[in-house]
Amino acid sequence: MFKSAHRKPGQNTYASQVEKYSTLKYPHRLNFYDRPPLDDITIEEFEICALDRLRLLAEIESSYARNRTWEELKQVALKQSEHYLPLNSNTAKNKNIEAERRKDHIGHFVLRLAFCRTEELRRRFVKAELALFKVRYESDDRAEREEFLQSRDFGWDAVDDAELKMYAEQLAAASPPPMSQAGGKALEKYYKVRWTRVPDLVEKRRVFLKGGMAYVPAREQSSIIFEEFQRSLEKSLQLTLKHLPRLDEDTRIVPLLDNLSQGFMAGISSEWSSAPEAAGDEITADMIDGLARKHFPMCMRHLHESLRRDKHLKHHGRLQYGLFLKVLGLSIDEAIVFWRRSFSTMQDDKFNKEYKYNIRHSYGLEGKRANYPARSCQQILTSDTPGSQDSHGCPFRHFSSENLQTGLLSMYSSQGLGASDLLEVMSYVKNGHYHVACTRVFEITHSSQGVKKGDGVGNGESVTHPNQYASRSRELEKSSESVKVEGDGDVTMG
Amino acid sequence: MPAAMQEDLSPEVMLAFYRRLYPFKSLFTWLNHEHTPTKQFINREFAFTLAGDVYLRYQSFVTADEMKKQVCQMNPTRFEIGPVYSARPRDRKTVRPTAFQPQLRELVFDIDMTDYDSIRTCCQDAAICARCWKFIAVAVRVLDSSIRDQFGYKHLLWVYSGRRGIHLWISDAEAMELTDEQRRALVGWMTVIQGGKDMVKKVNVRRGAAGPLPPSLQAVVDSYLKFAFPDIILDDQNLFSVRERWEEMLKLLPPGKVRNELQEEWDMDSERASADKWQDMRDAIKSADSKEKSTLKLVVQDIVLQYTYPRLDAEVSKHRNHLLKAPFCVHPKTGRVCVPVDPSDIDNFNPEAVPTVGQLLQELNNVVTETEGEHHSDWEKTSLKPYVDMMDKHAQALMEEVRKTKRGADLSW
Ligand SMILES: [Zn+2]
């Protein structure tokens, strides 16, 4: 499906595509993804659509890992959707509905390619996609949803009047109408489907069963639709898997797909903006000790303390920490000051020769002058696994459980993390939800600033980037300081 | 069962049983649904239990003869049947793990008498007699009729487990294909008794406290359980003549006047017959005020369910890759053969009359002088015959089903 498309990237621009299909292509907001996108897609589009969707799915997955209720999950997913994958109803004004729906369509199919490859990936992808579909279904405009349902053959038969009469008593007992409708004379509509399509209703005995057919009241039809969505996606993923080897020819696609699925496995979805923070946020070498204590995630705390202890950091450690500090707002001049002082046992000569160039290089001032972004959690989790002498990596993933617990207590007990919190944090770690563990540490250590369990780094979002962690932590401090100032003001006035 | 305890199950006896009596051909047809071997048989896992409790998984065979040869060679004490995989189980190490997945499996149920220990007085633990078999008989009737009526399955094979329980194997095409999720759903539908020893009220099936019973359960109560309850619980087991048992039952009533009065009354006459106690309760309910009366009427139905509805071992049924002992194996403790059981005649089935391996070999020795060569159908000369015939008849129906489907497919274009 993407085969012809990525052979000739850039041939069609996003805008012209949108124009071309602006009227009839996506009449409905909801999509069962029965048909792949057939028009040309640029490689850039391919990636953007996938990354934005992945971000959303990763939040859904971490909502499950954090035992959020369905309502909470829904709120998180809707909020994230607004940012990354808005999907408006037909009545929305001034929105490019077609473009939104096309992005939704493409992103889904790209991720199918990335997630069809192992049983584990398929299972997790189906679960997250199903949740996203449910969220949208429940938030859809009633009339539009009805239209969508009419547009697709779900293979259900309406139960005829004769049967309704024959089984009236059983139907009423199996699926009693909600209180508001009780006593109403009008017969409710029922659909007949094979019981295997509504296992959740069967399990809870919420339908009448006869000869293998389930008699599903109209108000429960969402059950059939969700089951159908799941079943058809599972089947499609198997088919995609069969066709996948043909993609191997394309050297650009495969690494991209690897990257996407790895990100999902690590629970991470996207890059934190690598642009330096707004002016006024610049930091100096002198400030770093203080910042580290108050705002750094554990990986950076650990790098900082290793640097202080050993007066040195190995290559990957310097890279991970240096780029983090750059994005935090450390200018090139301050960076040179910082690293020169930190390597206190090193001769000037050696520093200038071997290290200064690399620092300038990482700021894009030497060599090919690239603006290197800071490492995301995904990169830290999945690439350059640390050896026994290294200090880089993600402590939640790369530390032994004992070292992790000792480290957590020594670094964060002053910010309110106690031994009683370890059990919960460690349970996330044991299940491989490293980012959830890190997010929980953030919540605990910022509870004095009003952060509650489930808030994450804001809007329920999980930690996906060390700079996101640090920057949210600093924002919280600023806003609580301003509250304090106001508070003081009040006291004076009173 | 002192006689059974002395049953000779030496390797020689077992080998003679496999060589001369075990109906491999019938087993093959039942699993394969056709005469020529298909993946339903070829990709099927068998697991052998060898002497010394060595457990050998992932055995698979192409034909019934090959299976017989292997069984005779290894001489297992018993063997179990697992799912049909996407590749031959014996080749599983040479295929990619993703290419070795369970795909098909009969839907199975296991009912075991030990789950009835808290409601039987005649025997405990491993023991079983004709009186407590009545519980199993009710379970078979309820499960058999419910599955046929509600799920529409037709190919149900009931097999005595050799000691104190019974297995059900369902071979309809849809049942074979059920996913674990669907199996779990079906088991959820069929499960009524829930909660361990410490859970007093084990039946919670109404929607809302005063809702009607789900229609499937109402039908079961009306057709079977309201007769089984007085017959088994009140008369045969006389369960409520034991203090501990009537007190348990009384706790199912909501606290109030009726319960208090009965408690006082029975305290003075703890061993009063169960049927009389039950009558006491009905009388008390009749004279209760109307609000209490309507609640109590529902409670009575729930009590009937709690004491007579089938108690299922749910885990066995939920997973496609669960292994279950094959029909016609010999129970290692009793020596009895795991024979098929006719559900319509379940009330007359007597577990103690099921032939043992020793008895069958004796019968064989009485009628035939051993000749050279294989003995494919020596079972015909023994009391195993009606049971093998039952299995063959069941397999015939399955083959007919496949023929019909194939004919349909041929005509469809
Ligand atoms: Zn007994």
Side-chain angles (χ1 to χ4, degrees):
Chain A
M1 95 192 101
F2 294 101
K3 213 170 154 193
S4 62
H6 50 69
R7 287 253 167 82
K8 31 184 178 173
Q11 262 196 0
N12 278 291
T13 64
Y14 199 16
S16 74
Q17 285 295 325
V18 170
E19 222 171 331
K20 200 162 139 197
Y21 297 107
S22 61
T23 41
L24 281 171
K25 198 139 175 260
Y26 297 105
H28 308 291
R29 177 174 170 264
L30 295 171
N31 193 337
F32 243 78
Y33 311 106
D34 293 315
R35 271 178 289 276
L38 288 173
D39 39 303
D40 286 352
I41 298 156
T42 67
I43 188 96
E44 293 77 16
E45 233 188 324
F46 186 95
E47 186 166 10
I48 289 170
C49 294
L51 279 174
D52 281 346
R53 188 185 200 81
L54 192 53
R55 172 119 200 166
L56 189 52
L57 296 185
E59 273 315 327
I60 288 173
E61 214 197 23
S62 81
S63 291
Y64 279 123
R66 309 177 79 182
N67 282 323
R68 286 198 175 112
T69 64
W70 174 250
E71 276 311 308
E72 287 165 348
L73 180 150
K74 202 162 139 185
Q75 289 318 312
V76 168
L78 286 172
K79 241 175 222 158
Q80 297 284 320
S81 294
E82 275 171 38
H83 283 184
Y84 302 103
L85 198 56
L87 201 61
N88 283 287
S89 62
N90 292 345
T91 50
K93 296 225 169 71
N94 306 322
K95 304 276 184 201
N96 197 337
I97 293 172
E98 284 290 312
E100 288 176 357
R101 292 176 187 179
R102 181 167 185 273
K103 183 180 177 185
D104 175 62
H105 191 204
I106 294 172
H108 173 86
F109 274 90
V110 176
L111 293 188
R112 274 193 192 178
L113 293 173
F115 293 113
C116 66
R117 295 182 294 174
T118 70
E119 165 107 48
E120 157 97 357
L121 280 171
R122 285 194 296 273
R123 190 179 52 74
R124 291 170 62 171
F125 179 64
V126 168
K127 190 173 175 193
E129 278 283 341
L130 178 62
L132 179 61
F133 182 81
K134 282 185 186 171
V135 166
R136 289 170 171 178
Y137 184 92
E138 288 180 7
S139 63
D140 207 18
D141 177 275
R142 264 190 99 92
E144 286 181 34
R145 184 167 71 195
E146 211 44 53
E147 260 173 52
F148 167 73
L149 295 180
Q150 295 301 326
S151 73
R152 195 180 184 281
D153 181 12
F154 287 92
W156 50 37
D157 297 329
V159 177
D160 62 33
D161 286 349
E163 262 195 306
L164 280 180
K165 283 212 182 83
M166 179 160 60
Y167 295 129
E169 201 179 314
Q170 286 97 324
L171 291 172
S175 327
M179 291 313 253
S180 58
Q181 288 169 29
K185 283 272 178 266
L187 286 177
E188 197 182 359
K189 222 173 156 174
Y190 278 82
Y191 297 102
K192 217 159 47 163
V193 296
R194 210 58 221 166
W195 79 267
T196 46
R197 293 183 52 188
V198 284
D200 53 338
L201 294 181
V202 170
E203 185 165 12
K204 296 181 200 123
R205 260 189 233 108
R206 285 170 63 171
V207 282
F208 171 59
L209 268 191
K210 185 82 186 169
M213 301 305 278
Y215 290 62
V216 183
R219 74 195 118 90
E220 300 269 26
Q221 69 179 358
S222 55
S223 257
I224 313 180
I225 292 154
F226 297 153
E227 162 69 20
E228 176 75 11
F229 183 88
Q230 176 175 353
R231 203 173 57 128
S232 104
L233 182 52
E234 278 164 356
K235 233 163 91 188
S236 307
L237 286 174
Q238 293 288 352
L239 282 177
T240 312
L241 180 64
K242 272 193 195 152
H243 296 301
L244 197 63
R246 286 200 231 145
L247 265 181
D248 287 347
E249 312 156 27
D250 197 304
T251 49
R252 285 166 305 171
I253 298 293
V254 173
L256 182 66
L257 296 179
D258 284 341
N259 192 36
L260 288 171
S261 54
Q262 271 181 12
F264 196 57
M265 288 307 269
I268 307 301
S269 45
S270 76
E271 306 289 313
W272 178 247
S273 157
S274 57
E277 315 211 329
D281 269 335
E282 267 176 40
I283 58 170
T284 61
D286 298 332
M287 294 160 65
I288 294 177
D289 279 321
L291 288 172
R293 267 197 307 279
K294 282 195 286 187
H295 303 300
F296 285 11
M298 194 175 183
C299 53
M300 299 303 168
R301 271 296 283 275
H302 177 63
L303 282 165
H304 187 76
E305 289 179 9
S306 305
L307 177 63
R308 287 285 176 259
R309 185 188 63 224
D310 305 334
K311 322 270 185 252
H312 193 259
L313 276 183
K314 302 194 70 140
H315 171 73
H316 286 301
R318 289 200 304 275
L319 209 60
Q320 182 177 329
Y321 194 36
L323 291 171
F324 166 79
L325 292 175
K326 179 180 89 167
V327 172
L328 198 65
L330 193 70
S331 70
I332 176 66
D333 296 333
E334 288 295 320
I336 291 173
V337 172
F338 172 75
W339 288 104
R340 177 63 281 230
R341 280 190 208 153
S342 301
F343 293 172
S344 54
T345 54
M346 189 181 287
Q347 299 299 317
D348 268 342
D349 196 35
K350 186 175 159 86
F351 181 82
N352 287 337
K353 254 197 234 149
E354 290 174 30
Y355 294 92
K356 207 166 158 182
Y357 176 89
N358 282 335
I359 297 166
R360 290 178 54 81
H361 186 263
S362 70
Y363 274 75
L365 299 170
E366 304 283 357
K368 58 178 181 174
R369 293 175 180 263
N371 184 18
Y372 295 100
R375 298 259 157 112
S376 66
C377 295
Q378 179 195 338
Q379 289 166 312
I380 293 170
L381 280 164
T382 57
S383 54
D384 305 320
T385 307
S388 59
Q389 300 302 308
D390 287 315
S391 310
H392 70 277
C394 170
F396 295 99
R397 166 135 202 204
H398 298 121
F399 276 25
S400 72
S401 137
E402 226 177 86
N403 287 349
L404 177 56
Q405 298 188 54
T406 322
L408 278 167
L409 286 179
S410 79
M411 289 180 203
Y412 294 107
S413 56
S414 61
Q415 285 163 272
L417 184 133
S420 56
D421 297 313
L422 290 179
L423 195 69
E424 188 192 355
V425 172
M426 294 311 290
S427 75
Y428 297 131
V429 173
K430 274 190 201 100
N431 290 316
H433 297 295
Y434 311 111
H435 64 299
V436 176
C438 187
T439 307
R440 188 67 194 120
V441 169
F442 182 95
E443 289 166 354
I444 294 167
T445 54
H446 292 82
S447 57
S448 62
Q449 282 141 337
V451 175
K452 292 184 297 294
K453 180 167 179 174
D455 286 352
V457 291
N459 291 337
E461 211 172 295
S462 310
V463 176
T464 58
H465 197 296
N467 283 102
Q468 165 210 29
Y469 184 114
S471 123
R472 292 288 157 81
S473 174
R474 294 178 72 200
E475 278 169 30
L476 280 171
E477 185 187 50
K478 266 180 221 150
S479 59
S480 72
E481 268 166 4
S482 61
V483 169
K484 255 184 231 155
V485 171
E486 277 166 31
D488 289 347
D490 281 343
V491 173
T492 333
M493 278 164 70
Chain B
M1 279 175 289
M5 292 304 175
Q6 288 150 21
E7 190 73 27
D8 175 9
L9 295 174
S10 64
E12 296 72 30
V13 167
M14 289 308 296
L15 183 60
F17 173 72
Y18 290 133
R19 280 185 56 221
R20 306 180 62 187
L21 289 168
Y22 192 95
F24 287 99
K25 197 90 206 150
S26 306
L27 185 85
F28 168 86
T29 336
W30 169 59
L31 292 174
N32 192 60
H33 300 194
E34 287 181 63
H35 283 301
T36 16
T38 66
K39 78 167 193 181
Q40 291 236 98
F41 187 77
I42 297 172
N43 290 2
R44 173 79 72 158
E45 175 183 0
F46 294 91
F48 287 9
T49 305
L50 306 180
D53 270 341
V54 177
Y55 197 51
L56 210 58
R57 288 198 55 185
Y58 302 115
Q59 307 295 305
S60 67
F61 313 99
V62 176
T63 63
D65 284 342
E66 192 196 2
M67 179 173 182
K68 178 172 182 178
K69 222 171 117 192
Q70 181 83 344
V71 168
C72 290
Q73 198 177 348
M74 298 200 150
N75 201 10
T77 55
R78 60 185 186 275
F79 52 89
E80 296 178 322
I81 299 175
V84 177
Y85 285 89
S86 47
R88 294 183 192 190
R90 64 180 175 197
D91 297 339
R92 84 194 179 287
K93 282 184 179 150
T94 58
V95 300
R96 281 180 300 121
T98 49
F100 188 71
Q101 302 292 335
Q103 288 184 323
L104 302 171
R105 166 58 200 257
E106 288 78 9
L107 173 63
V108 295
F109 285 91
D110 180 10
I111 301 169
D112 193 290
M113 208 63 233
T114 40
D115 292 323
Y116 288 79
D117 276 355
S118 65
I119 54 169
R120 58 177 179 159
T121 54
C122 54
C123 319
Q124 284 295 295
D125 301 322
I128 185 170
C129 67
R131 283 172 62 202
C132 45
W133 183 259
K134 282 188 169 186
F135 280 112
I136 302 285
V138 173
V140 168
R141 286 198 178 282
V142 167
L143 216 54
D144 195 81
S145 68
S146 298
I147 283 173
R148 286 173 199 272
D149 173 69
Q150 289 141 32
F151 292 92
Y153 296 142
K154 294 200 283 276
H155 302 281
L156 282 66
L157 181 73
W158 288 94
V159 180
Y160 175 51
S161 76
R163 184 153 64 168
R164 59 186 167 189
I166 198 157
H167 298 157
L168 168 60
W169 300 75
I170 305 174
S171 304
D172 294 66
E174 183 186 86
M176 298 283 301
E177 286 169 10
L178 294 178
T179 62
D180 283 0
E181 190 196 3
Q182 290 162 338
R183 282 167 209 256
R184 202 181 57 231
L186 190 148
V187 171
W189 173 275
M190 297 301 314
T191 302
V192 168
I193 314 294
Q194 270 176 319
K197 274 205 178 93
D198 302 316
M199 182 86 105
V200 178
K201 184 168 165 54
K202 295 184 166 69
V203 173
N204 294 288
V205 291
R206 297 173 193 275
R207 289 180 82 177
L213 279 181
S216 56
L217 295 179
Q218 186 64 56
V220 158
V221 170
D222 292 344
S223 336
Y224 303 105
L225 304 187
K226 73 175 182 200
F227 307 110
F229 184 82
D231 181 26
I232 303 176
I233 299 293
L234 301 182
D235 293 341
D236 215 342
Q237 299 286 337
N238 195 7
L239 189 66
F240 304 135
S241 63
V242 182
R243 172 174 284 275
E244 196 192 341
R245 300 303 176 206
W246 67 252
E247 283 188 334
E248 261 170 11
M249 191 268 282
L250 213 48
K251 278 189 200 138
L252 295 170
L253 266 51
K257 190 163 156 270
V258 170
R259 179 166 144 182
N260 294 343
E261 280 175 8
L262 290 173
Q263 176 81 42
E264 266 175 48
E265 209 177 316
W266 296 347
D267 262 336
M268 317 236 268
D269 189 8
S270 182
E271 281 164 39
R272 185 172 160 78
S274 300
D276 295 337
K277 286 205 180 83
W278 193 248
Q279 194 54 51
D280 296 343
M281 195 170 98
R282 304 192 80 121
D283 294 343
I285 291 173
K286 247 182 233 155
S287 55
D289 65 62
S290 64
K291 190 167 164 268
E292 200 180 3
K293 191 189 281 178
S294 62
T295 317
L296 285 167
K297 277 188 175 159
L298 302 183
V299 171
V300 168
Q301 274 191 330
D302 287 356
I303 291 176
V304 168
L305 277 166
Q306 175 154 338
Y307 283 91
T308 52
Y309 189 88
R311 297 173 175 227
L312 307 172
D313 183 347
E315 289 313 308
V316 174
S317 312
K318 282 182 188 169
H319 307 286
R320 228 176 335 201
N321 54 3
H322 195 97
L323 293 146
L324 193 64
K325 190 164 53 165
F328 295 108
C329 277
V330 173
H331 193 283
K333 290 280 177 354
T334 63
R336 293 193 196 286
V337 179
C338 305
V339 293
V341 178
D342 177 2
S344 65
D345 196 31
I346 186 73
D347 292 327
N348 296 319
F349 181 85
N350 177 4
E352 288 169 302
V354 169
T356 66
V357 59
Q359 177 196 332
L360 290 170
L361 289 172
Q362 189 58 48
E363 289 174 21
L364 207 52
N365 288 337
N366 291 346
V367 291
V368 277
T369 44
E370 246 200 274
T371 47
E372 295 298 310
E374 289 301 304
H375 309 274
H376 272 305
S377 30
D378 272 0
W379 50 261
E380 285 192 345
K381 298 153 193 137
T382 69
S383 51
L384 200 57
K385 182 173 188 315
Y387 300 107
V388 180
D389 286 344
M390 209 189 298
M391 173 73 124
D392 285 343
K393 200 174 144 219
H394 178 76
Q396 280 299 329
L398 277 168
M399 288 201 287
E400 185 50 37
E401 195 81 23
V402 172
R403 271 198 292 275
K404 257 194 290 186
T405 315
K406 282 194 168 167
R407 257 204 311 272
D410 286 347
L411 291 173
S412 66
W413 60 279

